[in-house]
Amino acid sequence: MLGKRGAPCPHPWAALHRAGLINRVLAPSNRRLFGDRCPPISLSCFQTPRRIPYSEAIGQEFRPAKVGDSFGPTWETCWFKVELSIPPAWAGREVHFVWESDGEGMVWRDAQPVQGLTKEGEKTSYILTRSMKEPEPHSLTLYVELACNGLFGAGKGSMIAPPDPDRRFTLSKAELVVFNRDVYELLMDLEILLDMAQLLGEENQRSFQALYTANQMVNVCDVMDPSTFPAARDLAAAIFSQRNGESQHTIHAVGHCHIDSAWLWPYEETIRKCARSWVTVVRLMECNPELTFACSQAQQFEWVRSWYPGLYAQVQDFVAKGQFVPVGGTWVEMDGNLPSGESMVRQFLQGQRFFQEQFGRICSEFWLPDTFGYSAQLPQLMRGCGIRRFLTQKLSWNLVNAFPHHTFFWEGIDGSRVLTHFPPGDSYGMHGRVEEMLKTVKNNKDKGRVNHSAFLFGFGDGGGGPTQKMLDRMKRMTDTDGLPRVQISTPDRLFSALEKESSQLCTWVGELFLELHNGTYTTQAQIKKGNRECERILHDVEVLSTLAVARGGAFQYPASQLQRLWRLLLLNQFHDVLPGSCIQLVVEDALQYYAGEQGIWLGGHSPFGGLWDLLGGAAEVSVLDCQALSGTDIGTEPLCFPALVTVPSMGYAVREPLLPPQPVAVRRQVSTTAVVLRSVYPTSKSVPGGCCANQFALFDDVPLYWDAWDVMDYHLETRKPVTTLLKPLEITLAGGLRGSASFSLQIGESSTLTQEIILDATCPYLRFLTQVEWKEAHKFLKVEFPVQVRSTNATYEIQFGHLQRPTHWNTSWDWARFEVWAHKWLDLSEHGFGVALLNDCKYGASAHGNILSLSLLRAPKSPDAMADITHHQFTYAVMPHLGSFQDAGVIQCAYNLNFPLHVVPASSARCPPWSAFSVSSPAVVLETVKQASPRGRTVVVRLYEAHGSTLVAWLQTSLPVQEAVLCDLLERPAAQGRLPLEQRGLRLSFTPFRVLSILLVLRQ
Ligand SMILES: [Zn+2]
């Protein structure tokens, strides 16, 4: 006989008894949970398409409304005015205002938000009084702000379907009720006992003890006579107080409410979701001083701070009491794969600074339960930001391989380690049930090594987090023989306990790759392109602004402007925005943040205007290089003709066009229709005979469920080469400095692609400037380069470094990585030769056998039916090279492709070339130059070792440096971090992939 799916009942007799108990007590008691009821004196409403403040709302004209009315359409807001009068006969009773609707509600009282009400989060009661006293005012007016969307937006037909724009939301209950707490407590006792009886198993005598106790309780209890309840409750208390032995596992229960900063609803709704959820948590804390609540994402604190100052003050009080616990240390819970190394640093820098300013301390745990994989660079970045502990659980979603640990040391590409914990219940939204506690213990893969684990409970995404019921369940399991010990705890207490017993823990080296959601490297290409471009813009603006300040004059570093723009970029890196798993409304918001009037693109360019003159700009045309990669390159914009120029590292020069030593030759082959672009680089032996490079291929792309998220391995079986030429290859530039040819293709039924293939003199890679009109449904476009290279591993750029992944599918772990992510380049090399594939805004890639593929465009239909249906422009490049990719300069070339030279007009006087910084080793990349804050004339420079080598490099600067000190990623000086200023510059020691940050104090 089976009970709930998979869980055997201890005994047929026991199962019958359980059913009997439910009939005899639970059902009638449930009916007695609420006593007398009373409707509101009046109910009226006002509806608006905007999300408006309370003060504006209450001044509007309210019209009569009644229970049963429906409101909408989707995304509108209804404000209800509810006038209530508590009957005097209810003196001494607990009185609730009960509100049920399928929209998300917020109760306002005396101009303050007081309670979130969301049926899906089991929150339908606002407690007016625990025990009504005679003299209390019996009449009151409440306002309820009802958002016309559910917990998960308004998907039409399924959760992740695009929102139904015309959904209506019904008010199904609005009344005062008497709440019988004694009945409730009795029901909680019985629930736990019956769960123990059912779940502990026939071989465990505790299951029978629980059952017999419940049976006795029913016998002594008369549902109609509350005076019989205490005797029944005493029986339950007796069994709950029978304690465990010392060896029992300890569960650290922490309240939580995972709120996606945007997903199936727009950013603006998230602000209200935060307020609804947090005010509910605050109410619960007032009655339960033991309740703790872990809350991440500085951005959400900032939203509540600016939009709900009264609530924020209450949150601050509970933070001070240690109950409301800020965690994570980042601005948002960002995607763990796609943001650049510097972006990830800024997630922590903006986040930790915010927590320090607002709450007087930084977070000591990184908190990212719900993103789609975790970069192998994260451990070093965490350590550099004051964090040595990490909590997540998303790898439990792996489709192929079960991750072998719940508690372990995670070691990144540089060797940094962080103590990592996955709550073994594989969830961050537990309900405090017996079943979940038993699963947490049973599932734990590190039994014997550690005896503590996390248990995050509460409804997420606006569900208001924990409930009283969850707390009351766990109170009964504090230390009850047969069940794990359940403590309300904090992340700090959990990790402190784990640290004490960490001596036997295993270590996982390298990335935490999620074997699911691999489509998120490609979906919503415009968001990804916006991210890459805005990362570049903010980089360049910081470099230029810092150099302008360093050179003196009146220029003010645009610190607050840059902070605002960075925060927009960081917000868009949220784990449902940058991955592209959001609805169309969110995509529109995200693109506005990149390129709208207040966005990064324009905001980032505004300081440019004044900068050139300050940079000493005296030349007719200056060429500016914002990377510390000196060399000769071709600058184009905004000139209409290209010119070959030599620019010093992170500096500028007057444009003095050079003649290419080896011009490009472009000619049409007589025998075929092929066009040959020839330069000095070894392109000819890169492609095996009979194969075509730059081969486009279209795949059917129909995942099992998570449309925008997933590309399944079976899509590979549907490969169709794209071969229909619309316009044959034509020479567009005949050669010399630059040669190019272009062509157009028909893709699928209605999409087209036009490409210009460009080869520049002195440039070791061939560029493919690509335009696509994309109108597909459930198709996946890739471009493939079969290469004449044999290697069992390919190399992929990640944040501040690179890693290798296999090119074969030997094991399930290899095969599950059929689609992976990379940043600016990937490379396949054998000894002495290799081919790299570079890109300016793509992230999805693969290398199988000898074929390098770049993932270009997808066409999912959920949750955004219009995802990627638009015009696209992107550039990728192929770079065959001799020697290793390190020696051949692949990394520098990928930077060049992504950070083109700035060519700017300037005044007429001449000036010599100038370099702000240069680094002695090509293995070291100077990534970031910015002003330190809050120190006025202090500059932060950040460098990393990019080749995977141990070396000493010298950093030279022409800035007036007075003092140099090593610092961490939060820009805090290191103890004994002073660097001597030597003739050759600053001597810097690197180990593989080490990131170094230095404070440079400039002379006035
Ligand atoms: Zn999430």
Side-chain angles (χ1 to χ4, degrees):
M1 184 172 218
L2 285 176
K4 271 175 87 178
R5 196 166 151 238
C9 284
H11 194 273
W13 173 87
L16 283 176
H17 250 262
R18 187 173 192 278
L21 288 172
I22 289 167
N23 283 338
R24 287 162 64 198
V25 168
L26 285 188
S29 303
N30 258 321
R31 285 195 293 275
R32 286 196 28 88
L33 201 50
F34 293 105
D36 291 346
R37 292 154 199 271
C38 164
I41 291 174
S42 79
L43 182 68
S44 53
C45 100
F46 148 73
Q47 190 168 328
T48 164
R50 295 184 302 122
R51 298 174 179 91
I52 57 173
Y54 170 86
S55 55
E56 188 182 336
I58 58 162
Q60 306 297 320
E61 191 184 329
F62 283 69
R63 295 166 190 281
K66 60 181 188 308
V67 171
D69 285 354
S70 72
F71 306 88
T74 317
W75 309 127
E76 296 235 333
T77 299
C78 285
W79 284 86
F80 292 87
K81 185 176 184 182
V82 191
E83 301 200 58
L84 299 162
S85 178
I86 305 173
W90 291 4
R93 309 304 305 272
E94 179 168 340
V95 181
H96 293 189
F97 169 59
V98 171
W99 174 276
E100 284 185 26
S101 159
D102 42 3
E104 291 188 283
M106 168 74 101
V107 183
W108 291 78
R109 184 177 184 176
D110 303 330
Q112 287 300 320
V114 290
Q115 174 76 50
L117 292 178
T118 307
K119 203 174 166 186
E120 292 159 284
E122 293 184 5
K123 293 175 185 74
T124 52
S125 271
Y126 168 47
I127 302 175
L128 290 171
T129 170
R130 291 269 172 178
S131 170
M132 196 182 72
K133 296 178 190 68
E134 260 320 321
E136 276 179 26
H138 292 176
S139 295
L140 72 158
T141 302
L142 301 177
Y143 286 88
V144 180
E145 178 189 11
L146 186 76
C148 290
N149 57 261
L151 209 56
F152 296 107
K156 192 172 187 174
S158 84
M159 181 181 79
I160 63 162
D164 177 356
D166 300 316
R167 181 165 318 170
R168 308 285 299 176
F169 295 80
T170 305
L171 174 60
S172 46
K173 207 176 264 186
E175 61 188 13
L176 290 173
V177 299
V178 169
F179 183 75
N180 293 320
R181 194 155 288 276
D182 50 357
V183 176
Y184 164 84
E185 297 289 359
L186 198 60
L187 285 168
M188 294 309 301
D189 287 346
L190 284 165
E191 182 202 299
I192 301 296
L193 289 171
L194 293 178
D195 278 354
M196 287 172 70
Q198 182 174 16
L199 300 165
L200 284 177
E202 201 174 343
E203 66 280 9
N204 189 334
Q205 65 170 358
R206 282 296 274 174
S207 71
F208 290 90
Q209 291 170 353
L211 184 66
Y212 295 161
T213 303
N215 191 53
Q216 273 180 288
M217 285 172 69
V218 173
N219 292 339
V220 302
C221 174
D222 175 355
V223 175
M224 302 306 290
D225 180 5
S227 71
T228 62
F229 295 178
R233 294 215 56 213
D234 287 348
L235 290 167
I239 195 162
F240 293 143
S241 62
Q242 287 178 327
R243 297 202 174 168
N244 275 297
E246 280 179 28
S247 67
Q248 185 57 271
H249 191 85
T250 298
I251 286 178
H252 293 251
V254 183
H256 190 47
C257 176
H258 177 80
I259 302 180
D260 291 298
S261 289
W263 179 27
L264 302 172
W265 55 87
Y267 284 123
E268 267 195 10
E269 194 55 46
T270 311
I271 300 174
R272 299 201 298 190
K273 279 176 181 284
C274 294
R276 287 191 287 262
S277 295
W278 295 7
V279 78
T280 303
V281 171
V282 163
R283 286 293 87 77
L284 204 54
M285 282 179 174
E286 286 167 350
C287 313
N288 299 273
E290 78 283 5
L291 171 61
T292 58
F293 180 76
C295 192
S296 66
Q297 311 199 60
Q299 169 71 84
Q300 296 187 358
F301 282 90
E302 174 59 23
W303 277 334
V304 172
R305 191 178 80 90
S306 15
W307 292 92
Y308 300 88
L311 168 60
Y312 190 71
Q314 295 177 315
V315 167
Q316 282 181 307
D317 284 347
F318 281 105
V319 171
K321 286 179 186 158
Q323 285 182 260
F324 209 104
V325 186
V327 290
T330 50
W331 187 248
V332 295
E333 287 188 15
M334 72 281 195
D335 180 79
N337 299 326
L338 311 185
S340 69
E342 189 59 30
S343 286
M344 283 194 168
V345 170
R346 300 308 173 92
Q347 287 286 355
F348 286 105
L349 184 66
Q350 289 290 336
Q352 292 285 44
R353 284 238 170 104
F354 181 89
F355 291 121
Q356 178 72 48
E357 280 166 19
Q358 295 293 314
F359 307 116
R361 60 173 177 269
I362 60 171
C363 304
S364 57
E365 305 85 14
F366 181 37
W367 188 275
L368 196 55
D370 184 38
T371 196
F372 313 145
Y374 305 86
S375 163
Q377 185 56 271
L378 275 166
Q380 182 178 200
L381 302 186
M382 285 182 230
R383 295 300 297 245
C385 295
I387 290 176
R388 53 201 160 75
R389 304 153 160 187
F390 174 40
L391 184 140
T392 182
Q393 66 80 46
K394 197 70 182 184
L395 260 59
S396 67
W397 284 47
N398 268 5
L399 206 57
V400 183
N401 299 286
F403 194 80
H405 301 292
H406 284 104
T407 307
F408 59 101
F409 285 106
W410 179 26
E411 186 175 302
I413 50 169
D414 70 312
S416 296
R417 297 167 101 211
V418 287
L419 178 58
T420 301
H421 181 69
F422 300 172
D426 292 344
S427 169
Y428 46 82
M430 293 294 206
H431 296 165
R433 293 182 176 280
V434 170
E435 186 179 12
E436 297 164 344
M437 301 300 170
L438 297 177
K439 181 183 177 186
T440 296
V441 177
K442 190 176 171 199
N443 219 20
N444 179 18
K445 297 208 171 68
D446 299 282
K447 292 186 189 77
R449 296 194 181 98
V450 287
N451 209 17
H452 295 260
S453 52
F455 183 94
L456 307 179
F457 64 97
F459 288 96
D461 282 332
T467 64
Q468 185 66 49
K469 225 180 210 180
M470 297 175 191
L471 285 167
D472 290 334
R473 285 183 185 120
M474 291 187 286
K475 268 179 204 157
R476 288 159 171 82
M477 293 185 255
T478 308
D479 191 357
T480 293
D481 187 22
L483 297 176
R485 269 196 203 93
V486 181
Q487 300 176 351
I488 300 295
S489 183
T490 63
D492 181 54
R493 270 182 257 155
L494 164 77
F495 277 105
S496 299
L498 292 174
E499 277 161 2
K500 284 200 189 101
E501 47 188 28
S502 64
S503 63
Q504 293 191 70
L505 288 178
C506 300
T507 297
W508 179 270
V509 179
E511 68 182 323
L512 297 174
F513 185 86
L514 179 65
E515 295 171 354
L516 197 72
H517 294 357
N518 322 44
T520 60
Y521 319 145
T522 306
T523 306
Q524 299 286 9
Q526 285 184 303
I527 292 183
K528 287 164 169 82
K529 182 175 167 141
N531 181 67
R532 185 78 67 84
E533 282 184 340
C534 290
E535 284 177 339
R536 171 177 58 78
I537 289 168
L538 292 180
H539 169 275
D540 287 0
V541 174
E542 285 187 339
V543 169
L544 294 175
S545 303
T546 307
L547 300 189
V549 170
R551 296 192 50 147
F555 182 81
Q556 292 283 316
Y557 192 84
S560 58
Q561 164 94 326
L562 277 166
Q563 168 162 297
R564 187 182 74 78
L565 300 180
W566 264 112
R567 287 179 172 184
L568 290 180
L569 180 72
L570 301 179
L571 175 56
N572 274 353
Q573 289 172 350
F574 177 74
H575 65 252
D576 283 308
V577 181
L578 181 53
S581 46
C582 49
I583 59 170
Q584 191 179 1
L585 282 176
V586 179
V587 178
E588 287 165 8
D589 282 351
L591 297 181
Q592 277 294 311
Y593 290 174
Y594 292 134
E597 252 173 57
Q598 301 295 313
I600 300 163
W601 184 269
L602 287 176
H605 277 90
S606 56
F608 269 65
L611 286 173
W612 313 114
D613 300 336
L614 290 154
L615 279 172
E620 207 166 73
V621 179
S622 290
V623 185
L624 199 111
D625 177 17
C626 289
Q627 283 294 318
L629 308 162
S630 62
T632 305
D633 199 357
I634 295 186
T636 313
E637 288 172 308
L639 306 176
C640 53
F641 55 92
L644 188 66
V645 288
T646 298
V647 192
S649 153
M650 200 168 277
Y652 62 81
V654 179
R655 177 178 154 276
E656 283 175 346
L658 307 169
L659 281 179
Q662 298 276 353
V664 173
V666 185
R667 61 180 172 77
R668 187 174 289 279
Q669 260 180 0
V670 182
S671 55
T672 67
T673 54
V675 169
V676 178
L677 293 109
R678 192 175 296 280
S679 77
V680 290
Y681 293 95
T683 49
S684 56
K685 71 175 232 192
S686 313
V687 182
C691 293
C692 285
N694 196 39
Q695 173 69 59
F696 294 96
L698 199 61
F699 300 80
D700 293 343
D701 185 13
V702 188
L704 293 176
Y705 176 71
W706 297 99
D707 204 15
W709 291 256
D710 286 352
V711 54
M712 311 304 294
D713 63 323
Y714 53 74
H715 85 282
L716 294 167
E717 297 167 16
T718 64
R719 176 181 180 277
K720 289 179 191 67
V722 176
T723 53
T724 312
L725 263 182
L726 285 178
K727 189 164 88 55
L729 196 61
E730 279 176 9
I731 295 171
T732 43
L733 279 175
L737 200 55
R738 170 173 292 171
S740 69
S742 73
F743 66 96
S744 297
L745 290 172
Q746 176 82 40
I747 312 170
E749 290 194 357
S750 42
S751 303
T752 57
L753 178 149
T754 301
Q755 196 167 57
E756 188 177 11
I757 306 174
I758 304 166
L759 184 61
D760 283 347
T762 77
C763 180
Y765 53 82
L766 190 60
R767 272 186 298 149
F768 300 85
L769 176 58
T770 314
Q771 320 257 356
V772 184
E773 289 297 335
W774 184 245
K775 297 173 188 164
E776 298 301 312
H778 291 122
K779 298 287 178 191
F780 195 171
L781 179 69
K782 303 184 194 181
V783 65
E784 300 168 344
F785 287 84
V787 295
Q788 186 81 48
V789 175
R790 178 161 177 82
S791 174
T792 54
N793 281 298
T795 310
Y796 300 82
E797 191 194 33
I798 67 163
Q799 294 79 1
F800 297 140
H802 58 260
L803 50 70
Q804 294 199 314
R805 302 186 184 109
T807 56
H808 56 74
W809 294 345
N810 277 1
T811 70
S812 60
W813 293 86
D814 303 328
W815 156 68
R817 286 181 285 177
F818 58 87
E819 173 79 10
V820 297
W821 59 271
H823 283 188
K824 300 186 289 294
W825 57 269
L826 63 148
D827 179 85
L828 189 66
S829 288
E830 59 191 32
H831 180 68
F833 180 73
V835 178
L837 203 50
L838 323 177
N839 75 82
D840 74 347
C841 62
K842 296 296 170 192
Y843 295 91
S846 68
H848 187 219
N850 68 330
I851 300 174
L852 293 174
S853 296
L854 194 63
S855 302
L856 301 177
L857 293 167
R858 294 187 69 218
K861 300 297 166 195
S862 288
D864 175 8
M866 293 304 291
D868 284 316
I869 305 304
T870 184
H871 177 83
H872 297 270
Q873 179 178 320
F874 49 86
T875 297
Y876 56 87
V878 63
M879 177 174 168
H881 58 83
L882 298 174
S884 67
F885 70 85
Q886 290 99 330
D887 293 340
V890 165
I891 298 168
Q892 285 85 344
C893 286
Y895 270 101
N896 286 345
L897 184 73
N898 279 267
F899 291 82
L901 296 175
H902 294 284
V903 183
V904 291
S907 51
S908 60
R910 293 190 54 82
C911 72
W914 181 73
S915 165
F917 290 98
S918 60
V919 188
S920 66
S921 166
V924 174
V925 175
L926 172 51
E927 175 77 28
T928 303
V929 175
K930 66 182 280 283
Q931 189 184 55
S933 63
R935 309 172 181 101
R937 276 185 68 78
T938 304
V939 172
V940 180
V941 294
R942 186 157 19 258
L943 310 96
Y944 70 94
E945 198 291 318
H947 286 182
S949 57
T950 299
L951 58 89
V952 168
W954 294 86
L955 173 69
Q956 274 232 311
T957 177
S958 57
L959 303 192
V961 174
Q962 173 182 304
E963 191 186 334
V965 190
L966 286 171
C967 64
D968 68 3
L969 297 174
L970 300 181
E971 301 171 10
R972 300 177 299 187
Q976 278 112 40
R978 179 76 62 92
L979 295 169
L981 303 170
E982 298 183 46
Q983 188 69 37
R984 292 181 64 186
L986 298 173
R987 186 180 188 279
L988 304 174
S989 295
F990 289 91
T991 48
F993 307 116
R994 185 165 182 212
V995 180
L996 280 184
S997 304
I998 307 159
L999 295 169
L1000 300 176
V1001 183
L1002 303 184
R1003 285 194 297 276
Q1004 288 296 326

